[in-house]
Amino acid sequence: MREPESSEIAGERVHCAALRMALPVALMLLVVKLLKVWMSLVVFQRWPGYGGEWILRVVTGSVTFRFFLLALGVYWPWKRIAPPRWRWLFPLPAALLLLAVKIGSALVRGTPPGLSHLIATWTGEIHFLAATFARDAGFVCLYFCLIHLALLAAGRAFQGHARALFMGFTVSLLLLAGADLGYFIRTGQNGTSQAMFFLLKNVRSLAPLVAGEFSTSSVAALCSGPLLFFVSWRYLKLHPPRLAERWRRLVILVPMAAGLFLLSPFAPTLENPKYGRFSRDVFDGMVRDVVADPCFEADKSAREELASTGRPSWESSSLRLAGAGKDLPNVVIVMVESLRARSTSLHNPALGTTPFLVELSRHAAVVERMHAVIPRTSSAWIGILYGMYPISDIAAQAWVTRQYADPRPKSLPELLKPYGYASAFFLATHLEIDNERDIVANLRFDTVRSEEDFRREGAVRVNTMGVADDVMLKPIGEWVAGQRAAKRPFLLTVMTNVGHAPYQPPPSWRRRILASGGNQLLNDSLNCVSYSDDFLRRLFPIVAGGGLADSTIFVVLGDHGQGFGEHQSYGMRTLHEECLHIPTVIYAPRFKEHPVVVRGPRQQIDLLPTLADLMGLRLEGGRLPGVSLLREQAEERPLYFMGSIDDSFLALTRGSRKWIYHFDRTPVEAYDLATDPGEQHPAYRDGGDPAVRGAVRDMTLWRERSRLSLIAAPPRR
């Protein structure tokens, strides 16, 4: 039964109502931060003994944890023997007991007590914990003060409304913290405001994809906030805190002073940049994402550059193909879902996952270091079929809307149409995620057939994204036969599906144990890779058989890679090599007897110029960022990368150096790929490093130039 309102929030009881809403936030932030630290230092790092023995490591290695256990043990007897006014001093006997145990054990072993080492270790751990939780504690203190002052200012007449408002806001904060924890559990990365906004904006189209990635831990993370709210509210209702009259004036002053200090530059900080991300609390980080714009100067420079020259850095609105155009080959481009280089036999021969690709490579060009620009399927379509740098999802939404009314970049189907090419795009996936349907429509293929078409014909989904790839074989064969009968050259683009999470090949596919170390997700993915290779084996004679082999360019490449825990992340949410490095094989008549290996740093944007070279045509009238794979490439060529969500990540490689930029949320990661090709030993750098400053400026300037190049008007003549 609800108590009278005055007993909860009127007069001296206002602090109790404020505490009921601030306490669950404090507990939630504590749980979130502890789990993040534990997962980062224990689970993600795969410490020796992971699987249960990590408990022994923490207990025996952490002075603070031993003190915490002793304090719990001392509290109850201390509560019985100490006067009420001294009960809060129970940590003191726990500390003395800890020192006594240390000295006693040293005397038994006949070794020096090592008290200086104990004190130094303990001091370091306390500083780490203080710096880790300072901002969380500061936020909770100020939130408590805000609620308290708002309830007092509302007066008795409006306190009920104010309380209801703050209750709803508190539950929203708890859900946000739970979502951030769930995102961290899945990806190893802190959530960002842009990621949250993007999810909310596209909740309908992304719902099946998000649901497919939900796990028990994700559900627990989301539910933990409301559960803590209910438990703490109920407890404080049954056991309301009692404050002596002399302390009531300090209810606001102490938390406010503590909050201001803990959020000030004078609060403890972590000097080691590797752990700097632990210092930020969930809400502080997301507010900074919204308020701060670390790319302001670079964006301004790119816009001024466009205004002064009238030409974007790259443009293809006036692009055209030129050349004789006789005996032009058919072009087939197959983009394999989530195919990373290290999961293929081309780059990891011991796996045996892609025997067909290995066989094809003996009559083809193999690109040794091909990379995606953005680890996102629709971004691969832009990079490969437009030859332009793709942009993040949110920016791409604005671009495709404008592209409908006023087309700017020219796609490969448009460039080939004057030469009489028929074009088709076959996708085993649906087009309901984000803006994929609009992107495909703007590519202007003559024929588009996707998962919706195949399901109407009786095909069954194998995952949340679409149907089995082999469903496309028959309709592709029929389409190719039609073009052959009409004696028309054709451009055929194929997008597979089975490699997508949750990595489930059709039930009829025979699974094998392909991954060592018990990584089940990786093993599932490798089985999908094996299935995709078999699909390619069956597709090749359909599109290049019957005498077409000598007049067909057959390209196979991944749309992006995939992470399986190499860098605390699963999926395609980082800009490390496992998400960017993709296999690429180009079968063409000129390579049939003389296969080649294409070396040097390469990207998906290089494919369109390469196809023009292989067809004996020239690109005129525009400026693309890519370079033909048939041409030598300097090792110092810069390669730029971007996360699919706005303001998530940028990366740059130049020679053997690589930088990953987190938009000032954490220090820049710097790698030397010559000595650390697996990117396992980052050097963390702040903005004071001249090399880092230059790399960050180059990355942010490239990002805005890429956006402007897609949306800018055609250059002035």
Side-chain angles (χ1 to χ4, degrees):
M1 188 174 195
R2 185 176 178 182
E3 296 179 9
E5 186 175 271
S6 59
S7 68
E8 293 185 358
I9 59 175
E12 72 276 4
R13 306 298 292 167
V14 166
H15 72 274
C16 184
L19 186 61
R20 288 182 183 180
M21 287 177 267
L23 180 60
V25 174
L27 293 175
M28 186 65 184
L29 291 180
L30 176 66
V31 170
V32 169
K33 188 62 68 70
L34 284 175
L35 285 174
K36 284 185 176 183
V37 172
W38 170 65
M39 293 184 71
S40 296
L41 300 183
V42 180
V43 179
F44 289 146
Q45 298 299 329
R46 295 292 190 267
W47 280 2
Y50 169 64
E53 295 179 14
W54 62 270
I55 299 177
L56 181 62
R57 174 186 290 271
V58 173
V59 171
T60 59
S62 171
V63 179
T64 306
F65 191 81
R66 281 179 279 169
F67 168 74
F68 176 74
L69 293 179
L70 285 172
L72 288 179
V74 165
Y75 175 74
W76 298 109
W78 181 260
K79 183 179 179 181
R80 291 181 175 276
I81 63 175
R85 62 188 306 176
W86 300 113
R87 287 176 183 172
W88 63 276
L89 290 175
F90 74 94
L92 182 59
L96 295 175
L97 182 59
L98 180 65
L99 293 175
V101 170
K102 179 69 175 177
I103 295 172
S105 62
L107 292 175
V108 170
R109 294 194 304 267
T111 59
L115 293 181
S116 59
H117 175 72
L118 174 70
I119 294 172
T121 302
W122 200 359
T123 303
E125 290 181 4
I126 291 175
H127 179 268
F128 177 83
L129 292 173
T132 299
F133 291 100
R135 291 192 173 277
D136 301 270
F139 175 85
V140 171
C141 288
L142 293 184
Y143 187 57
F144 171 82
C145 295
L146 174 64
I147 300 172
H148 201 290
L149 293 174
L151 293 178
L152 288 176
R156 182 171 298 187
F158 298 100
Q159 280 179 352
H161 300 290
R163 183 179 60 176
L165 178 65
F166 275 107
M167 284 177 64
F169 188 67
T170 299
V171 172
S172 299
L173 289 178
L174 294 171
L175 290 172
L176 182 62
D180 175 69
L181 178 59
Y183 187 82
F184 186 88
I185 291 171
R186 179 65 183 170
T187 68
Q189 306 291 336
N190 290 324
T192 66
S193 59
Q194 293 289 352
M196 298 297 176
F197 291 155
F198 180 75
L199 177 61
L200 292 175
K201 187 176 181 180
N202 301 278
V203 63
R204 183 176 179 181
S205 62
L206 293 175
L209 185 62
V210 173
E213 297 201 9
F214 257 77
S215 62
T216 304
S217 56
S218 301
V219 174
L222 280 175
C223 295
S224 57
L227 179 62
L228 286 173
F229 181 82
F230 173 78
V231 171
S232 59
W233 184 275
R234 185 67 179 169
Y235 178 82
L236 289 175
K237 189 173 183 178
L238 296 175
H239 307 280
R242 305 290 181 185
L243 280 177
E245 183 67 30
R246 63 179 180 275
W247 296 113
R248 287 176 184 168
R249 295 181 180 180
L250 300 179
V251 167
I252 292 292
L253 295 179
V254 172
M256 183 174 292
L260 292 174
F261 170 75
L262 292 172
L263 293 176
S264 73
F266 303 103
T269 58
L270 294 174
E271 297 180 3
N272 187 340
K274 179 177 181 181
Y275 305 117
R277 62 176 177 164
F278 296 144
S279 296
R280 301 179 67 185
D281 73 81
V282 174
F283 312 120
D284 166 61
M286 292 193 178
V287 168
R288 288 193 186 191
D289 288 342
V290 175
V291 175
D293 183 7
C295 303
F296 175 78
E297 291 299 328
D299 292 354
K300 180 181 176 183
S301 297
R303 290 191 290 268
E304 290 175 348
E305 181 183 274
L306 175 62
S308 64
T309 63
R311 299 181 65 89
S313 299
W314 309 282
E315 65 91 12
S316 70
S317 57
S318 54
L319 191 68
R320 64 184 180 277
L321 286 170
K326 293 182 179 180
D327 300 322
L328 290 174
N330 301 314
V331 178
V332 180
I333 302 172
V334 184
M335 290 175 273
V336 182
E337 175 65 53
S338 303
L339 184 63
R340 62 181 192 170
R342 67 180 68 177
S343 291
T344 67
S345 308
L346 289 172
H347 297 267
N348 192 351
L351 280 178
T353 50
T354 56
F356 173 74
L357 278 185
V358 171
E359 178 61 30
L360 187 68
S361 69
R362 298 192 176 104
H363 309 283
V366 177
V367 186
E368 187 178 57
R369 289 156 55 195
M370 177 66 92
H371 291 81
V373 181
I374 297 177
R376 175 84 161 81
T377 299
S378 58
S379 300
W381 301 343
I382 296 173
I384 292 168
L385 297 171
Y386 280 113
M388 297 285 284
Y389 281 122
I391 53 181
S392 62
D393 286 331
I394 296 175
Q397 287 181 336
W399 165 65
V400 294
T401 302
R402 180 176 299 190
Q403 183 78 354
Y404 270 124
D406 185 15
R408 301 288 167 83
K410 290 279 185 66
S411 66
L412 185 58
E414 292 178 286
L415 292 172
L416 291 176
K417 189 175 286 293
Y419 288 91
Y421 273 77
S423 61
F425 197 175
F426 284 78
L427 308 94
T429 63
H430 64 73
L431 297 172
E432 300 304 320
I433 298 295
D434 190 20
N435 50 20
E436 290 179 349
R437 188 176 299 279
D438 294 329
I439 292 176
V440 170
N442 280 315
L443 286 167
R444 290 172 167 76
F445 281 93
D446 298 331
T447 300
V448 175
R449 297 197 64 186
S450 64
E451 179 253 12
E452 293 90 337
D453 302 299
F454 303 132
R455 288 186 69 190
R456 280 196 294 268
E457 298 168 5
V460 178
R461 278 189 172 182
V462 294
N463 57 33
T464 57
M465 296 301 298
V467 298
D469 302 331
D470 53 17
V471 170
M472 297 187 289
L473 292 173
K474 182 179 178 181
I476 287 175
E478 293 171 350
W479 185 85
V480 169
Q483 309 317 311
R484 293 183 67 181
K487 297 183 178 180
R488 292 185 64 187
F490 60 81
L491 165 66
L492 171 65
T493 303
V494 180
M495 182 73 231
T496 70
N497 167 57
V498 167
H500 198 283
Y503 318 113
Q504 297 297 322
S508 59
W509 184 254
R510 184 175 62 85
R511 298 168 181 264
R512 296 178 291 161
I513 303 299
L514 296 168
S516 59
N519 191 328
Q520 186 58 48
L521 275 180
L522 176 57
N523 191 72
D524 291 342
S525 174
L526 293 176
N527 275 276
C528 291
V529 171
S530 183
Y531 168 86
S532 298
D533 184 73
D534 187 70
F535 167 77
L536 294 170
R537 178 187 62 80
R538 299 165 65 187
L539 175 67
F540 185 75
I542 294 174
V543 300
L548 292 181
D550 292 332
S551 59
T552 299
I553 299 172
F554 186 78
V555 181
V556 178
L557 74 167
D559 60 344
H560 54 76
Q562 202 80 231
F564 292 96
E566 293 88 351
H567 290 90
Q568 308 183 8
S569 180
Y570 288 80
M572 51 188 187
R573 299 175 181 87
T574 74
L575 295 181
H576 293 287
E577 284 294 284
E578 61 268 17
C579 292
L580 299 172
H581 186 199
I582 55 175
T584 301
V585 178
I586 304 175
Y587 172 92
R590 68 185 295 172
F591 304 130
K592 190 173 182 180
E593 301 299 330
H594 305 284
V596 298
V597 175
V598 178
R599 306 191 188 279
R602 311 287 183 161
Q603 278 188 304
Q604 290 167 332
I605 54 172
D606 297 333
L607 186 59
L608 196 151
T610 304
L611 292 173
D613 273 1
L614 289 172
M615 299 169 75
L617 302 175
R618 302 184 307 277
L619 289 168
E620 297 181 349
R623 184 187 177 197
L624 296 180
V627 180
S628 173
L629 298 170
L630 304 184
R631 302 178 188 180
E632 295 290 330
Q633 191 56 255
E635 281 293 327
E636 292 299 313
R637 175 194 183 184
L639 295 185
Y640 294 94
F641 311 97
M642 187 190 310
S644 64
I645 301 295
D646 260 337
D647 300 346
S648 53
F649 313 102
L650 293 173
L652 165 64
T653 62
R654 186 179 285 125
S656 64
R657 309 298 299 177
K658 180 173 182 177
W659 297 269
I660 299 179
Y661 175 55
H662 299 257
F663 288 85
D664 294 343
R665 287 186 293 273
T666 59
V668 175
E669 297 175 44
Y671 296 93
D672 183 352
L673 300 180
T675 59
D676 183 22
E679 301 169 295
Q680 295 298 316
H681 306 288
Y684 293 89
R685 301 282 186 259
D686 58 30
D689 188 317
V692 168
R693 266 202 318 272
V696 169
R697 175 171 175 78
D698 289 347
M699 287 185 275
T700 53
L701 191 60
W702 163 78
R703 184 188 76 147
E704 183 64 8
R705 283 173 173 170
S706 300
R707 188 186 71 84
L708 293 175
S709 294
L710 281 179
I711 68 173
R716 298 192 296 263
R717 299 297 180 188

